[in-house]
Amino acid sequence: MADVARRAGVSTATVSHVLNNTRAVSDDTRAAVLAAVEETAYTPNTVARSLATSRTTTLGLVLSAISNPYFGELLSAAERAAAAAGYTLLLVDPHEDPGYERTVVARLHHHRVDGVVLAPSAHPEAALEYLARHAVPTVLLDRLLSGGLAARLDQVGSENSQATATLTRHLVEAHGHRRIALVAGLAGLATTDERRAGFVAALGAAGLPRDPALEVSGESATEPARAAMAGLLALPEPPTAVVVGNNSMTIGVIAALRDAGAKVPDDVAVVAFDDFAWADLFAPRLTVMAQPFAQIASEAVRLLLRRRDQADAPVEVLRLPPSFVVRESCGCAAAP
């Protein structure tokens, strides 16, 4: 930096202000500094800077199942939000393994990230205990928890119960379905429990009995959901409609219906949680609850940076409403 300052004829403080946009400088001064940076091939030493400031301008994102189209969108939005705040995102995938989840949050801490955004596994106790013990600023993402260590953490995700009830109620009230199945996500996940609760509540409100044979697990993945849907179709009295818990499972459900030669929605109506870029390319197009992933990601980054700067700030838990996108897979007429 001293070499750049000498070549540009300015102080090292001015070089810092130009490179970090921390103070306004004249156009001529900025041009001189940037030219000197180019000539000297100077790059800031972020390791040295982190030793001086105790900050690395990096954030950790712990996210399982990144092959899920929803999580891919969430990752992209989180990276954009972090970059806009001047941060680099370090991504790790714990593969829904609680033991490995604790390992990867420790690794992020060893890299001295300024905070961690965590989409918790079904049993995140070890990871949460590590983050709390080391006072790592943490925000829970998507899978919101209650009680225990989670009660002290900022959290942001979608509202799940009422949204799933709306999907189920639409099948009953708009299309008269009485035998409705649920392909639920991985057992133990907060989102799985909340969406199942919404499904059950909607059945009860409609006066429909709960049939355990119609509630199956697709394990939040495509192939298990395909097998689960095939099992539903093999029942003596198959469902006439199905609610699917996420978009990876929706792909499996649609594949199973096509394998069986069942037409959507004539034979089986389909509604699902999560929208994705090609949901309206299916034939028929999919009726879904679309999660506001960009807003979820930007709020997670905002909460994390606030927690880093204000350790004693009040805890915030944000549940953002999804949007009900009606297309044709439920039986509604095609929109123009």
Side-chain angles (χ1 to χ4, degrees), residues 19 24 30 47 63 71 74 80 102 105-106 115 126-127 132 143 185 202 205 210 230 264 273 310 324:
L19 296 179
R30 179 177 294 278
V47 174
L63 195 64
F71 277 141
L74 197 59
R80 289 194 300 271
R102 195 268 185 199
V105 299
R143 302 161 176 178
R210 184 178 178 183
V264 178
F273 219 96
Q310 304 173 44
F324 187 26

Side-chain angles (χ1 to χ4, degrees), residues 86-254:
Y87 281 75
T88 300
L89 206 61
L90 300 182
L91 171 69
V92 290
D93 184 345
H95 307 293
E96 304 290 9
D97 180 337
Y100 189 52
E101 181 179 48
R102 195 268 185 199
T103 297
V104 297
V105 299
R107 288 177 182 171
L108 289 171
H109 178 233
H110 297 164
H111 280 281
R112 292 299 185 261
V113 294
D114 292 336
V116 169
V117 177
L118 169 66
S121 69
H123 299 285
E125 294 80 10
L128 294 181
E129 191 277 333
Y130 180 94
L131 292 166
R133 179 156 44 91
H134 293 279
V136 179
T138 302
V139 172
L140 298 187
L141 181 74
D142 184 63
R143 302 161 176 178
L144 278 59
L145 305 177
S146 61
L149 293 172
R152 293 184 247 162
L153 298 177
D154 300 306
Q155 306 187 51
V156 58
S158 291
E159 193 291 316
N160 292 295
S161 296
Q162 290 299 321
T164 307
T166 296
L167 288 171
T168 309
R169 189 165 57 247
H170 180 72
L171 293 171
V172 174
E173 296 177 356
H175 301 289
H177 289 284
R178 317 303 288 175
R179 190 162 175 77
I180 305 171
L182 172 69
V183 178
L186 193 66
L189 295 182
T191 47
T192 298
D193 294 341
E194 291 168 4
R195 291 169 194 175
R196 184 187 299 275
F199 172 79
V200 171
L203 291 183
L208 298 178
R210 184 178 178 183
D211 185 346
L214 294 180
E215 296 179 30
V216 297
S217 175
E219 300 178 22
S220 298
T222 298
E223 287 307 314
R226 188 175 191 162
M229 188 68 227
L232 289 170
L233 293 173
L235 291 173
E237 188 180 354
T240 61
V242 59
V243 178
V244 190
N246 76 8
N247 52 18
S248 285
M249 294 190 295
T250 302
I251 296 168
V253 165
I254 294 295

Side-chain angles (χ1 to χ4, degrees), residues 61 63 70-71 73-82 117-119 139-144 154-160 191 195 273-274 289-304 318-323:
L61 177 60
L63 195 64
Y70 165 68
F71 277 141
E73 298 279 11
L74 197 59
L75 167 60
S76 179
E79 193 281 329
R80 289 194 300 271
V117 177
L118 169 66
V139 172
L140 298 187
L141 181 74
D142 184 63
R143 302 161 176 178
L144 278 59
D154 300 306
Q155 306 187 51
V156 58
S158 291
E159 193 291 316
N160 292 295
T191 47
R195 291 169 194 175
F273 219 96
D274 293 337
M289 276 292 174
Q291 299 193 67
F293 55 83
Q295 187 180 0
I296 290 172
S298 63
E299 288 288 357
V301 171
R302 178 188 69 80
L303 289 172
L304 189 58
L318 304 179
R319 288 188 178 272
L320 306 178
S323 300

